[in-house]
Amino acid sequence: MSTAPRTFDRAAELRAEPDVVERLRAEPDTRVVVVRDRRLRVQDGVVRRVAPAEVGAAEWALLGRDADGAALLLASAPSETDSIDAAPQERWLGLREAGDLDPFEAEIFVTAIAVAGWLSDVRHCAACGDRLELRNGGWSRHCPGCGADHFPRTDPAVIVAVESADGEKLLLGANARWRGTMYSCFAGFVEAGESMEDTVHRELAEEADVRLRELRYISSQPWPYPRSLMVGFRAVAADERAVGDGEEIIDVRWLTRAEIGTALAGEGPVGLPGRSSIARQMIEQWYEERPA
């Protein structure tokens, strides 16, 4: 008999409780996930939890409930702190290095990074410049000056795996930031007034001069760099014409299934994205399929 996967309980009903974070910090069973410089401690594939008393200076928020129901808090710590130094067997990891986490731990990981980033970046009102007050267990800020409320923001972005009409080749591009060391799926942010499908077509036309057909949704992934949601699509190219724009995309390549296989094994001919990324997952999914 199959069982449903664990899902992270964000305990949203507790956010409206006044001083809920302070109350939970005083309870003996409460656990804390510490974020420093958008990195967390991970040990044996599990996000490290500590007691509230182990954390020094930090900004706090309610994350939710752990798998056993215990309260789970976030502490966004400054870069320089002596109270949370890791033991030698522990590691501070960013999202790109944390590809071996199970879905439950991964959700805690990305949620903590996203909320910690927002706590660090949004301290003053964008409307009047006044200092903001923390509300709703760390999930909103209120401006005492003009009354505006501010919430963590997510920016939608699309990413697309483009295959040839016969299904035997995958088109990947090298972003200028990677200096030709890595090839990946094409991605871009949704602009004002666009649907996600419109964005996919525009990005491929702009970056690789490619026209698409048979566009379909695959999956999505939170990507808090600093606050994105990557929405993945699969598409078929109308033909095999492709050329990089020379600015953002410095090269594009049609890679055969055999070449993708060797690249996934780390043997070239190109480097591929890390295992934690939706781009890698989409490439692996394409490789493991066979055209009908």
Side-chain angles (χ1 to χ4, degrees):
M1 182 177 66
S2 63
T3 57
R6 292 184 302 170
T7 56
F8 178 49
D9 178 2
R10 297 174 177 234
E13 77 282 359
L14 294 179
R15 296 176 190 172
E17 178 186 325
D19 301 321
V20 63
V21 171
E22 287 71 17
R23 175 178 68 80
L24 292 174
R25 286 177 64 181
E27 294 187 358
D29 295 334
T30 296
R31 299 161 194 158
V32 184
V33 172
V34 181
V35 178
R36 184 173 67 185
D37 294 330
R38 289 188 165 89
R39 303 176 76 83
L40 282 72
R41 289 188 290 175
V42 174
Q43 184 177 9
D44 299 327
V46 175
V47 174
R48 177 74 170 165
R49 282 80 152 164
V50 299
E54 295 182 49
V55 183
E59 197 153 21
W60 294 79
L62 170 66
L63 274 184
R65 295 186 179 91
D66 214 338
D68 61 358
L72 195 60
L73 299 180
L74 161 71
S76 178
S79 299
E80 300 297 330
T81 178
D82 295 328
S83 61
I84 54 171
D85 286 345
Q89 71 271 25
E90 295 168 352
R91 297 179 296 163
W92 287 90
L93 297 182
L95 183 58
R96 297 183 190 277
E97 297 89 35
D100 58 348
L101 300 179
D102 68 32
F104 184 81
E105 294 296 313
E107 186 172 358
I108 292 174
F109 194 105
V110 297
T111 302
I113 290 179
V115 176
W118 180 75
L119 290 173
S120 298
D121 296 343
V122 180
R123 299 182 184 277
H124 293 86
C125 181
C128 71
D130 208 348
R131 181 82 176 185
L132 296 172
E133 300 171 349
L134 208 58
R135 299 278 180 88
N136 291 316
W139 284 84
S140 73
R141 288 190 188 273
H142 178 76
C143 178
C146 68
D149 291 311
H150 301 261
F151 302 90
R153 193 179 86 193
T154 297
D155 297 330
V158 300
I159 185 166
V160 57
V162 179
E163 63 182 334
S164 58
D166 63 4
E168 283 294 350
K169 286 179 282 188
L170 193 66
L171 181 66
L172 300 180
N175 193 289
R177 298 193 307 271
W178 308 326
R179 300 178 182 177
T181 60
M182 184 176 73
Y183 283 67
S184 185
C185 301
F186 297 86
F189 283 101
V190 178
E191 292 188 349
E194 279 188 324
S195 69
M196 292 184 182
E197 292 83 356
D198 289 340
T199 305
V200 171
H201 287 286
R202 175 182 57 78
E203 286 288 341
L204 265 293
E206 290 177 354
E207 295 184 352
D209 196 22
V210 169
R211 302 300 181 267
L212 301 174
R213 57 185 178 87
E214 299 180 33
L215 182 65
R216 60 187 174 92
Y217 169 78
I218 299 297
S219 63
S220 65
Q221 179 186 45
W223 197 247
Y225 279 110
R227 51 180 174 268
S228 302
L229 175 68
M230 299 294 289
V231 181
F233 291 86
R234 176 84 68 84
V236 177
D239 55 53
E240 294 188 19
R241 168 183 166 77
V243 57
D245 62 14
E247 296 181 5
E248 185 173 355
I249 302 298
I250 59 175
D251 189 33
V252 294
R253 292 185 62 171
W254 282 106
L255 296 167
T256 66
R257 200 171 297 275
E259 288 173 325
I260 291 293
T262 59
L264 288 169
E267 300 171 357
V270 298
L272 296 179
R275 296 184 183 277
S276 64
S277 68
I278 188 174
R280 175 67 172 239
Q281 295 160 19
M282 292 168 65
I283 292 169
E284 290 178 344
Q285 182 185 57
W286 176 85
Y287 173 73
E288 290 167 1
E289 295 175 356
R290 290 295 184 269

